[in-house]
Amino acid sequence: PQVVFSDDFETDKGWTVNPAATDTATTGRWERGVAQATTSTGAKQLVANSGTRDLVTGAAAGAAAGDNDIDGGVTSIQSPAIAIPAGGTVTLSFAFYFAHLDNATADDFFRVQIVGATTQTVLQELGAATIDNAAWVTRSIDISAFAGQSVRILVSAADNAGGSLVEAGVDDVVITRQ
């Protein structure tokens, strides 16, 4: 496979926080940083999947697990423009986690979208009134529909339901073409 784009977040490749200037989160905004692990009835924020840096919602642990989690709404971060070659099968792969306590609701979410001529949600996980501990999971998603376009990857997460403990992370983003 041909690597079209790769980011392990060890160097700054130009991701933009709050690209549409519509984010409402008051804490836990996305950042490229060195995440500090937190726990509250299990892991809620993890260190990077590889290397030392990742995209994380509020990298600092704080005095309590909920000190720097997402609060007050939506936070988003967007990749630089990525030229997807025409033809072949194009795959987006990335590692992520979305963690929350049992005070979360379906209004809380983690979402990955591809923004090109159209916008497509390629992964969405909603909160629920259950404890969801953080664990790195890798997903591979066919984004061949965007072949021949310039796209951006838009990652967003939200604590929209009041005082939920919500954390998210992304690492090791790779787009390949076969």
Side-chain angles (χ1 to χ4, degrees), residues 32 41 45 61 69 86 91 102 124 157 172:
R32 181 186 144 266
T41 65
Q45 181 163 286
D69 75 313
T91 304
D102 55 2
Q124 178 170 280
D172 303 321

Side-chain angles (χ1 to χ4, degrees), residues 12-39:
D12 185 356
K13 293 194 176 180
W15 289 68
T16 304
V17 175
N18 192 12
T22 57
D23 287 4
T24 54
T26 54
T27 62
R29 293 180 197 97
W30 283 108
E31 62 181 283
R32 181 186 144 266
V34 178
Q36 297 174 336
T38 64
T39 60

Side-chain angles (χ1 to χ4, degrees), residues 27-169:
T27 62
R29 293 180 197 97
W30 283 108
E31 62 181 283
R32 181 186 144 266
V34 178
Q36 297 174 336
T38 64
T39 60
S40 180
T41 65
K44 293 301 174 279
Q45 181 163 286
L46 303 173
V47 298
N49 187 53
S50 70
T52 58
R53 296 181 183 277
D54 63 351
L55 294 182
V56 62
T57 54
D67 284 353
N68 295 311
D69 75 313
I70 306 167
D71 281 322
V74 178
T75 180
S76 62
I77 193 164
Q78 184 171 266
S79 74
I82 304 163
I84 307 294
T89 301
V90 182
T91 304
L92 166 65
S93 298
F94 56 92
F96 81 99
Y97 66 85
F98 175 60
H100 54 78
L101 285 180
D102 55 2
N103 57 359
T105 74
D107 291 333
D108 304 328
F109 65 82
F110 171 81
R111 184 179 299 144
V112 178
Q113 297 174 296
I114 303 298
V115 180
T118 60
T119 298
Q120 179 182 350
T121 299
V122 296
L123 178 77
Q124 178 170 280
E125 188 175 325
L126 300 178
T130 59
I131 294 172
D132 187 354
N133 291 323
W136 285 109
V137 176
T138 300
R139 289 284 192 265
S140 294
I141 300 158
D142 186 335
I143 59 166
S144 299
F146 292 92
Q149 297 182 36
S150 177
V151 302
R152 294 178 191 270
I153 303 165
L154 178 62
V155 180
S156 39
D159 178 0
N160 279 325
S164 311
L165 195 159
V166 177
E167 298 278 12

